[in-house]
Amino acid sequence: MKPNFMNEDTVTTKITYPELFKKLSPFAKKEWRLLAFALVAVLLAAAASRAVPLLIGYAIDHGVMAKNAQVFFNVAIIYLMAEILRSIFNFTNTYLFQKFGNRMLFHLREELTRHVQNLPIQFFNKTPNGRIVTRLTNDVMSLSELFSDGVISVFTNAILIGAVVLTMVLISWKLALATLIFAPIFIFASIYLSNKIRVILHEQKKKLSTINSFIAENLNGIKVVQVFNRLEKNQNHFDNLSVDYRDTNMRSIRAYALMQPIMNLFNAMTLTIALFYGGYLSENNAIAIGSLVAFLMNIQDFI
């Protein structure tokens, strides 16, 4: 059976992050050194960021409570150094990840253009130019945005959250367990909404490709359209495509709007539990005031 190039945008495809990594791995391997340095920078940035709340807690317990001015001086110097290191590592990992993604997509564009140029004439006869241009430009740009704002953000945030949870457990495993008891529910809700948004964005891409293809075909054959008096019919068809694309965009907006209230509710519940149970532990001398402050600062970074 011959492939139907005209209907390629109607095929529903789903791809997970592991599958995406697998498909991009040949291009990523060409820049593996950049990736390795970026990973190291992320880990160092996470370590430096976790040092800050611990320093504040130490200053409260051994400076404020003990009324030791020397502790404040020492902590202030170390705090400044930690903040400088955190800034340097954050800049480094952001720069290296963006550079890595840019170079990887450069290799992808080269390979994609080479592939398209070697396709049979049958493909170009059956596939509108607008759809081909969308594949070579918009789709690669969408992949770039997915990698920069999606993959990199998910990975760096996962490292940061892991460091935060580890620090919270080290401060007080009881308080950490009580505080994060509802976390799986909200994580599941976030993953569900994220997957839903990803599906909607995929539909947006397909509908935009259809609109681009229609516009390109309509403009290329504008003389034929005018001769056969199809202006109104083509306009109505375009209006239907535009309305469908608009409605898909609104679904995306609603999904994004729902994400923030869910996170706000999680923030409120987490802080409420931490303050209530943390106060109880502090009253019973199960946790120091400085450690409780450090714990609350870590929660702010977690949520």
Side-chain angles (χ1 to χ4, degrees), residues 87-100:
S87 299
I88 293 174
F89 293 141
N90 281 334
F91 167 79
T92 302
N93 83 70
T94 301
Y95 174 77
L96 291 179
F97 265 127
Q98 294 294 337
K99 187 175 182 179
F100 167 76

Side-chain angles (χ1 to χ4, degrees), residues 214 218 225 228-241:
F214 177 80
N218 197 54
V225 172
F228 287 92
N229 195 27
R230 292 180 55 89
L231 292 175
E232 184 175 354
K233 185 175 182 179
N234 283 15
Q235 182 63 48
N236 291 334
H237 181 60
F238 175 79
D239 290 343
N240 291 332
L241 293 176

Side-chain angles (χ1 to χ4, degrees), residues 11-220:
V11 178
T12 301
T13 58
K14 293 183 179 180
I15 184 170
T16 62
Y17 279 124
E19 292 172 335
L20 177 63
F21 293 149
K22 184 177 180 180
K23 290 179 179 295
L24 294 179
S25 60
F27 308 102
K29 289 178 180 178
K30 297 179 180 180
E31 304 293 342
W32 67 269
R33 290 183 179 84
L34 273 176
L35 179 59
F37 285 124
L39 295 178
V40 172
V42 170
L43 293 174
L44 293 175
S49 64
R50 291 312 91 218
V52 172
L54 295 177
L55 286 170
I56 300 299
Y58 183 86
I60 294 174
D61 285 337
H62 298 83
V64 176
M65 305 303 293
K67 298 182 179 180
N68 190 336
Q70 184 62 37
V71 170
F72 280 107
F73 176 79
N74 295 336
V75 168
I77 298 299
I78 300 174
Y79 169 79
L80 179 60
M81 294 174 60
E83 285 288 7
I84 292 174
L85 289 175
R86 180 167 65 166
S87 299
I88 293 174
F89 293 141
N90 281 334
F91 167 79
T92 302
N93 83 70
T94 301
Y95 174 77
L96 291 179
F97 265 127
Q98 294 294 337
K99 187 175 182 179
F100 167 76
N102 185 52
R103 289 189 177 182
M104 186 184 66
L105 292 174
F106 168 76
H107 297 308
L108 175 61
R109 280 192 296 267
E110 281 191 327
E111 183 66 25
L112 183 59
T113 303
R114 186 180 299 109
H115 172 73
V116 170
Q117 290 177 342
N118 290 323
L119 288 173
I121 297 299
Q122 178 190 13
F123 172 81
F124 297 98
N125 290 336
K126 293 186 175 182
T127 307
N129 291 334
R131 184 170 297 163
I132 299 175
V133 172
T134 299
R135 290 287 180 268
L136 295 175
T137 56
N138 290 8
D139 285 5
V140 175
M141 182 61 66
S142 298
L143 184 59
S144 175
E145 293 174 355
L146 172 64
F147 184 81
S148 300
D149 301 330
V151 176
I152 293 178
S153 178
V154 168
F155 178 79
T156 54
N157 286 335
I159 296 295
L160 177 60
I161 289 175
V164 169
V165 172
L166 178 60
T167 306
M168 291 166 62
V169 171
L170 292 176
I171 293 173
S172 174
W173 68 268
K174 293 181 180 180
L175 186 56
L177 182 61
T179 302
L180 301 178
I181 192 171
F182 292 107
I185 298 176
F186 289 94
I187 291 175
F188 174 80
S190 298
I191 293 175
Y192 172 79
L193 277 177
S194 297
N195 290 334
K196 185 176 181 180
I197 290 172
R198 182 163 57 88
V199 172
I200 295 174
L201 291 179
H202 181 69
E203 292 180 12
Q204 284 180 315
K205 179 188 73 67
K206 293 193 298 183
K207 288 176 171 50
L208 180 60
S209 175
T210 302
I211 290 177
N212 289 341
S213 299
F214 177 80
I215 293 175
E217 293 174 8
N218 197 54
L219 293 179
N220 288 336

